[in-house]
């Protein structure tokens, strides 16, 4: 199987020169490119300076032993995905368990059997290939912030409680609009719309969490903390309305109908994290704040106002944003009426 990973870079770390040379020779005969370090300190310097695909690591070394190297690698986001196979003469199950707990991919006793070494190298490099492929897919289909959060968590499922603002937005009358034109024109319209909306959201520190048809959901304050997340979300909504106004000028001049959008924003505690299965997971947030934001977006149709926010969002605004209190509103799913505020824009109506 070595041919599948020909050219992979292996770093051999061992203070014993004979062991180091023998391991290097074995790896070179298998077709790998090999470098060597005589202790843990030098090994970490080499790993941070040049990329390596795998590390063969001794435990008993001067300056920095193998256990310390494993701890440093595990705590370094840039290195934590590099597989480490421990090669050691230490006896006892405790040493093996400690290495695995510190993140080692595998453990080989000395003297290392060449056939076993070949099999373990191939298996570890295949796991790395799959992890690299997973990271590439995440970077292509997730925002940089979400990709960073997922890699930092090791793609683990689960969530954490954070304070954030949630924004929902969709196009009014989209079904009738889509039925009145060719499917290709609808796809082009959605691509233009999403380009404008994504730009407004990312420009104020938010991330697009999900898109569905003509609607989207955005988060401000997760996965990375965002000061004044409520203010950022509302300023995003105002910019969205301004962009739609500019887009409508072009559409009307081309004899097309104007677009209208509705935006709902709620702020408070959410649970944000990776949800799904180990085979397929998405980064999202859930909680009462999310549900309220979705209901407020739906209520824009009833209130005939383009942007509605809750009291928590209103409390987080800076003074130059004009709002109008609409009073308590019965919101589906809420036991008590909710204080709702309309944000004034140049596109009200």
């Amino acid at each position: 199987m070595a041919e599948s990973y020909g050219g992979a870079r292996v770093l051999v770390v061992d203070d014993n020169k004979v062991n180091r040379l023998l391991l290097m020779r074995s790896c070179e005969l298998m077709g790998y490119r090999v470098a060597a370090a005589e202790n843990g300190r030098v090994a970490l310097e080499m790993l941070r300076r040049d990329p390596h695909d795998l590390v063969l690591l001794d435990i008993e070394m001067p300056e920095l032993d193998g256990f310390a190297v494993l701890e440093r690698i595990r705590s370094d986001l840039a290195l934590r995905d590099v597989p480490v196979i421990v090669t050691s003469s230490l006896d006892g199950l405790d040493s093996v368990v400690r290495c695995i707990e510190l993140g080692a991919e595998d453990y080989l006793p000395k003297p290392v059997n060449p056939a076993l070494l070949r099999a373990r190298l191939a298996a570890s490099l295949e796991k790395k290939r799959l992890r690299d492929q997973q990271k590439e897919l995440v970077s292509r289909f997730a925002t940089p912030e979400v990709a960073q959060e997922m890699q930092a968590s090791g793609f683990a499922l689960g969530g954490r409680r954070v304070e954030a603002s949630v924004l929902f937005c969709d196009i009014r009358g989209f079904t009738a609009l889509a039925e009145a034109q060719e499917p290709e024109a609808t796809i082009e319209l959605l691509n233009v719309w999403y380009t404008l909306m994504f730009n407004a959201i990312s420009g104020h520190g938010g991330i697009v969490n999900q898109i569905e048809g003509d609607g989207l959901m955005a988060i401000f304050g997760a996965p990375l903390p965002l000061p004044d997340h409520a203010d950022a979300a509302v300023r995003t909504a105002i910019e969205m309305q301004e962009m739609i106004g500019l887009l409508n000028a072009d559409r009307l001049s081309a004899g097309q109908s104007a677009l209208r959008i509705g935006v709902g924003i709620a702020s408070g505690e959410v649970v944000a994290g990776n949800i799904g299965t180990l085979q397929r997971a998405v980064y999202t947030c859930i909680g009462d704040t999310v549900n309220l934001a979705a209901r407020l977006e739906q209520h824009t149709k009833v209130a005939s106002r383009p942007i509605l926010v809750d009291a928590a969002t209103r409390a987080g605004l800076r003074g130059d944003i004009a709002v109008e209190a609409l009073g308590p509103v019965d919101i589906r799913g809420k036991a008590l009426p909710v204080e709702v505020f309309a944000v004034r824009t140049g596109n009200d109506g």
Side-chain angles (χ1 to χ4, degrees), residues 7-23:
R9 299 190 62 178
V10 176
L11 177 62
V12 176
V13 188
D14 199 313
D15 66 314
N16 184 301
K17 187 174 183 179
V18 173
N19 289 338
R20 193 164 66 243
L21 291 174
L22 290 176
L23 280 173

Side-chain angles (χ1 to χ4, degrees), residues 126-138:
E126 173 64 9
K127 292 178 183 177
K128 181 181 185 298
R129 184 188 69 81
L130 293 173
R131 285 195 295 266
D132 290 344
Q133 188 179 67
Q134 183 182 46
K135 287 196 294 184
E136 182 181 356
L137 287 171
V138 168

Side-chain angles (χ1 to χ4, degrees), residues 10-334:
V10 176
L11 177 62
V12 176
V13 188
D14 199 313
D15 66 314
N16 184 301
K17 187 174 183 179
V18 173
N19 289 338
R20 193 164 66 243
L21 291 174
L22 290 176
L23 280 173
M24 290 176 66
R25 182 175 183 275
S26 295
C27 292
E28 288 170 346
L29 290 174
M30 296 176 197
Y32 300 115
R33 292 182 293 161
V34 186
E38 64 271 20
N39 60 55
R41 178 185 58 79
V42 174
L44 287 172
E45 292 175 355
M46 294 177 66
L47 286 170
R48 289 168 178 146
R49 185 173 62 246
D50 300 309
H52 289 78
D53 298 300
L54 185 141
V55 178
L56 288 172
L57 179 68
D58 186 29
I59 291 297
E60 297 180 295
M61 296 183 294
E63 295 196 46
L64 203 65
D65 66 15
F67 294 126
V69 172
L70 285 169
E71 289 177 345
R72 303 281 180 87
I73 289 176
R74 185 174 64 173
S75 63
D76 190 327
L77 187 59
L79 300 179
R80 64 187 303 174
D81 286 334
V82 177
V84 178
I85 299 177
V86 171
T87 61
S88 177
S89 56
L90 287 178
D91 293 326
L93 182 62
D94 289 345
S95 296
V96 178
V97 171
R98 185 179 177 190
C99 289
I100 299 302
E101 288 178 342
L102 289 173
E105 191 85 30
D106 213 328
Y107 188 101
L108 291 174
K110 291 181 178 179
V112 177
N113 180 285
L116 194 56
L117 175 63
R118 177 188 293 270
R120 299 295 173 80
L121 284 170
S124 294
L125 286 168
E126 173 64 9
K127 292 178 183 177
K128 181 181 185 298
R129 184 188 69 81
L130 293 173
R131 285 195 295 266
D132 290 344
Q133 188 179 67
Q134 183 182 46
K135 287 196 294 184
E136 182 181 356
L137 287 171
V138 168
S139 66
R140 287 178 59 192
F141 296 107
T143 65
E145 295 86 357
V146 170
Q148 180 182 341
E149 171 78 7
M150 294 180 74
Q151 291 176 29
S153 68
F155 298 91
L157 299 178
R160 55 190 177 90
R161 295 177 182 272
V162 297
E163 290 291 322
S165 293
V166 181
L167 179 153
F168 279 85
C169 175
D170 79 350
I171 300 175
R172 294 286 169 260
F174 178 76
T175 301
L177 181 66
E179 291 175 347
Q181 61 186 14
E182 294 297 322
E184 293 81 2
T186 300
I187 294 298
E188 176 61 21
L189 171 61
L190 286 175
N191 286 336
V192 169
W193 184 69
Y194 280 127
T195 298
L196 299 178
M197 300 303 100
F198 277 42
N199 181 268
I201 292 165
S202 62
H204 291 276
I207 66 162
V208 176
N209 168 249
Q210 58 183 252
I211 58 177
E212 183 175 349
D214 62 314
L216 62 80
M217 170 184 166
I219 312 170
F220 297 79
L224 302 180
L226 181 65
D228 300 323
H229 51 79
D231 190 82
V234 172
R235 291 181 187 278
T236 296
I238 293 172
E239 185 174 341
M240 286 175 161
Q241 294 289 347
E242 292 172 349
M243 285 186 170
I244 289 298
L246 295 174
L247 177 61
N248 281 337
D250 292 337
R251 288 181 59 82
L252 292 173
S253 65
Q256 299 172 320
S257 60
L259 298 180
R260 293 186 302 116
I261 64 173
V263 182
I265 301 170
S267 301
E269 186 181 76
V270 301
V271 177
N274 304 319
I275 296 175
T277 68
L278 293 176
Q279 289 72 37
R280 182 176 178 85
V282 296
Y283 185 89
T284 190
C285 65
I286 60 175
D288 187 61
T289 299
V290 179
N291 297 334
L292 178 56
R295 298 287 187 261
L296 289 172
E297 183 273 315
Q298 295 169 0
H299 192 69
T300 60
K301 305 172 187 177
V302 178
S304 297
R305 302 298 178 87
I307 305 172
L308 295 181
V309 304
D310 68 341
T313 303
R314 168 66 184 89
L317 299 183
R318 296 200 290 267
D320 58 340
I321 296 179
V323 300
E324 176 188 354
L326 301 185
V329 174
D330 290 324
I331 299 293
R332 183 162 60 90
K334 302 289 289 184

